[in-house]
Amino acid sequence: EAFDVPTVEKALGDPDSYLRVEAVRHIANPPGGIGKWKRLLPRMEELAAGDDEWVRLAVAAKLQRFPGTAAFLAGRETNETSPYVLSVLVGGRYAGKEFENHFLTLFVPLLSSRDEHVREGALNFVGGISAAAPARQIPFGTNVFERVITSTKAKSAKERSMAAYALTAIRQI
């Protein structure tokens, strides 16, 4: 059940990440419209572009259920650096092979990002996907394999470790 708008609005501005995620989860999804929650959309859009990956993930999932947010969410795809958030954004618009193709087009560059943290997140995603339900697994091809191999030679021990983890999940090329 949703809380009142002022309480959720206050929690959305709190510095505590967990509280912001819970605030997002408690925004009502009224059938046919967003009603009284509409005033929170600008703040939600700010959070969707913020630094906190888990808040972005919660916001992406929530906004998909609100009318009038599809264009905003589609625009976030090209700027997203988290494969988890990206999978939610793309999954809200595509299914099956269309999802795989669109997701991989946006995901593969993350493995070559200049930001080591982004590369490590992408490698972690590749490694963890094998634990997902078969319907949620993504077939990685040679473009992913080659980038993972490149990361096995990284200066960072953490990135090399994440690359080794990712290699365990690439089952066929």
Side-chain angles (χ1 to χ4, degrees):
E1 183 174 312
F3 294 104
D4 62 282
V5 176
T7 301
V8 172
E9 186 172 32
K10 184 176 179 183
L12 287 175
D14 195 272
D16 184 303
S17 177
Y18 179 77
L19 185 57
R20 289 192 313 271
V21 168
E22 287 304 310
V24 169
R25 290 182 179 154
H26 283 89
I27 293 175
N29 289 325
I34 57 175
K36 64 184 180 179
W37 299 96
K38 185 174 184 170
R39 78 181 213 206
L40 299 182
L41 284 178
R43 179 64 180 137
M44 294 279 282
E45 290 176 352
E46 287 175 20
L47 292 171
D51 292 336
D52 191 308
E53 175 181 11
W54 302 112
V55 173
R56 292 194 319 269
L57 184 64
V59 170
K62 182 61 72 168
L63 286 181
Q64 286 186 5
R65 296 183 232 149
F66 280 85
T69 59
F72 170 78
L73 292 170
R76 286 290 315 136
E77 290 177 4
T78 56
N79 297 315
E80 185 52 60
T81 58
S82 164
Y84 300 97
V85 178
L86 189 59
S87 69
V88 169
L89 291 170
V90 174
R93 297 187 334 134
Y94 300 98
K97 287 288 182 197
E98 281 186 296
F99 166 80
E100 290 172 8
N101 292 336
H102 194 72
F103 175 79
L104 288 170
T105 297
L106 296 165
F107 170 74
V108 171
L110 299 180
L111 291 163
S112 299
S113 172
R114 290 183 175 185
D115 185 328
E116 183 177 322
H117 181 72
V118 171
R119 289 192 311 272
E120 290 170 358
L123 291 165
N124 186 54
F125 182 84
V126 172
I129 202 73
S130 64
R136 303 216 23 112
Q137 292 186 7
I138 298 169
F140 297 117
T142 55
N143 53 355
V144 171
F145 177 76
E146 289 167 359
R147 283 175 171 82
V148 171
I149 290 296
T150 299
S151 288
T152 64
K153 302 168 192 161
K155 291 179 183 177
S156 159
K158 183 175 181 183
E159 185 174 347
R160 290 192 310 270
S161 173
M162 296 305 297
Y165 173 60
L167 285 173
T168 66
I170 301 176
R171 304 220 191 280
Q172 53 187 124
I173 299 177

